[in-house]
Amino acid sequence: MWDDAFPSFLIGLREGLEAGLIVSILVATLVRADARSRLPQVWTGVLAAIALALSFGAVLTFTAANLSATAQEAFGGVLSVIAVAFVTAMVFWMRRSARTFSGEIREKVTGALGMGAGVLMLTSFLAVGREGLETALFLWTTARAAGESAGPLTGAGIGLVLAAALCWGLYRRVLRINLTKFFTATGVVLIVIAAGVLGYGLRDLQEGGVLPGLTTYAFDLSGSVDAGSWYSTLIQGVFNLMPTMTWLQVVGYVGYLVVVMPLFVRGVKTRTPEPAPTTAQLSESPPSPRRRPAWVVPVAVVTVPAVVAGLVVAFSRPKPASSETVAVSETECGKGFTAPDTGRQTFQMHNTGDKTAEVYLIDPASNAVYGEVEGLAPGTTRDLVATVAGGSYAWRCVPTGAKAVTSATVHVSGGGGSVKAVVPVSENDLAAPLKAYKVYVDQGLATLETQTRQLSTDIAGNHLAKARTDWLTAHRTYSSLGAAYGTFEDFDQKINGRADGLAGGVDDKDFAGFHRIEYGLWHGQPAGELKVPAQQLAAAVVGLRKAFPTQDFDPGDLPLRAHEILENALQFELTGDTDEGSGTNLATVDSNLAGTRELLTVLKPLLTKESPKLLPGVDADIARLQKLLDSAHQGASWTPVEQLDGTVKAQLDGATGQLLEDLAPVPDLLEIRKSA
């Protein structure tokens, strides 16, 4: 995405041009001084700087990955603030030095030529290395803010390639660029971007527990701003402005701009004339006799940073507690468990009993779950990975068909930050949402009964145009009851069965329900052929309404349907797979979305308790998808899926996919776990 790539593109272009200009001036100065034999020293220094920057980026990436979630937030926040400091210093330095840039570099080369190969190599290494380290740090920060690396890496790559091309053009004198104006303009943009990075970093520090005020919001526009829209995505990606920001973020963002921007703009007016360069002092120094092969130093300058980075990453990895085997059974639950170290740990769970079991690592005081293994067969061993902080821990073993057993509690001392745990949900917790949803479904079935009877009457009276309208109305009602599909049993096939898999396809005698009538209404079949299917549909709905109150509705299915309704919509409706001629798949998706919204409404109290940040994002996703669906129809006329513009179809698929991704945690958050 360009919104994620632009900040990295700008930093790659600017830092690449800065480093490239240094190298170009070094090379040009040596060439004009007839000191070409010293060029390998420059390129060796450049190679060492690149190796250092790449190694530094690897250390940042893999070291952060080994930290707990809270520590990652704090680590990222600190580095974001450091990145802002570096970028701020860089734009001010370049603003002052743009006009005297080449003269300063030539002076350094002049001194280096008289002091041997090592000094010239060090000069190029230090000149390029600073830009490389700044680029690596800023790129890591922007990638973390974007939540993905493809966009930032692509942007930085394009910026560096363009910078190299510009430097080559300047070196060959086929381009003329006013560097003062260039670095001034990009400096202004980078200051705005850096303000966003600072705001994001402060939020990370709040989430990491370093700074207070995490829940003290200056504004919360998540309910009125479409977080998935192109303009919202662009603003978030480039400027790191979010629909919801804390007071500390706002103060940091605005304060940085108010202080830094005027200082930068005011300083642009102060300019120093560039001293005329000279090469009269340069002369070819006799090359020192080679004491080693030419490839040794370049290989060394690449290998040493890589090896050091590898050692840093290796030693930063937490030592897993894989040597600690914990027993799982009715009689030995938790045997072998001792107080672990803080950090990310791996436990080997071994079922010593004769029944398949589930096992949870819990906080015995709140029953919150830190990690779990399900379906652990007798005699088998599986790893359970969990992050441990200071606190109390115990194991809960749940053998199939037996009573849950809780091990003795162990106490872990020390910090380790806060660890996210899932508070278990019981059938009793889901009782109220299930009751409310059953009322919704029962009311929907009553409406559906009336609508299908009207549809049958339309067809019996040969009013096929009206039947098409009433068919869509009734089918949308049924499609909005998606969470109850699992309890409709055989009625679903009678009411909404598909021709797929039937030997005779649409002509099969078992093809029944809404799609059978849809096929007939939109393929010119006479009312006489549709009369019986319409009567059968109405009868099936009556039967379902009578049976529904006594049908078994597993409470655990309720959160599962939050994801499955739209998953089916993406698989069957947005592909047009279920279209039998009406072209109303998007109307069905619209009804599926309404059913999902109703389901989330009854689950809202539990979801807010388990994950307060989940629903605002889901609401924004729903609003985005709803807006796209609303634009795909006028009145009762819907655009068929196959006639959608390619861009619109991609947007619908993308919006649905994003909503599914954000809904994916719901079943885990509200999973019923046996606690006693």
Side-chain angles (χ1 to χ4, degrees), residues 37-161:
S37 64
R38 310 293 291 275
L39 290 177
Q41 299 163 12
V42 173
W43 295 118
T44 300
V46 171
L47 188 63
I50 294 173
L52 179 64
L54 293 175
S55 299
F56 179 58
V59 168
L60 291 178
T61 301
F62 293 106
T63 300
N66 293 329
L67 299 174
S68 66
T70 303
Q72 285 185 34
E73 300 292 349
F75 182 70
V78 170
L79 289 185
S80 295
V81 174
I82 294 174
V84 170
F86 279 165
V87 169
T88 305
M90 177 261 292
V91 296
F92 275 90
W93 178 79
M94 208 57 202
R95 184 207 66 196
R96 294 192 305 268
S97 305
R99 295 182 61 83
T100 62
F101 190 61
S102 60
E104 292 177 3
I105 298 300
R106 290 190 182 98
E107 289 180 8
K108 292 180 180 180
V109 177
T110 301
L113 279 171
M115 299 178 67
V119 177
L120 184 59
M121 189 186 305
L122 182 63
T123 300
S124 61
F125 170 76
L126 293 177
V128 179
R130 186 187 67 177
E131 273 61 58
L133 292 175
E134 289 177 354
T135 302
L137 178 57
F138 194 84
L139 181 59
W140 183 87
T141 303
T142 53
R144 189 174 184 278
E148 55 97 14
S149 58
L153 286 175
T154 301
I158 295 173
L160 290 171
V161 170

Side-chain angles (χ1 to χ4, degrees), residues 9 24 89 368 442 461 571 606 619 658 669:
F9 163 77
S24 298
D442 190 61
Q571 181 179 358
L606 287 177
D619 289 341
Q658 182 61 55
L669 289 171

Side-chain angles (χ1 to χ4, degrees), residues 453-520:
R453 282 178 173 171
Q454 181 60 52
L455 175 61
S456 181
T457 300
D458 294 339
I459 292 175
N462 200 25
H463 305 302
L464 298 187
K466 187 174 185 300
R468 293 187 186 95
T469 300
D470 290 340
W471 175 90
L472 179 58
T473 301
H475 189 246
R476 293 196 62 183
T477 298
Y478 185 78
S479 299
S480 68
L481 308 179
Y485 284 173
T487 64
F488 287 172
E489 299 174 352
D490 293 339
F491 286 103
D492 184 53
Q493 183 63 31
K494 297 176 182 178
I495 294 173
N496 205 41
R498 300 165 57 205
D500 296 3
L502 298 177
V506 294
D507 297 320
D508 196 287
K509 61 180 180 61
D510 291 328
F511 184 32
F514 279 111
H515 292 302
R516 167 64 184 92
I517 298 172
E518 176 189 10
Y519 181 83

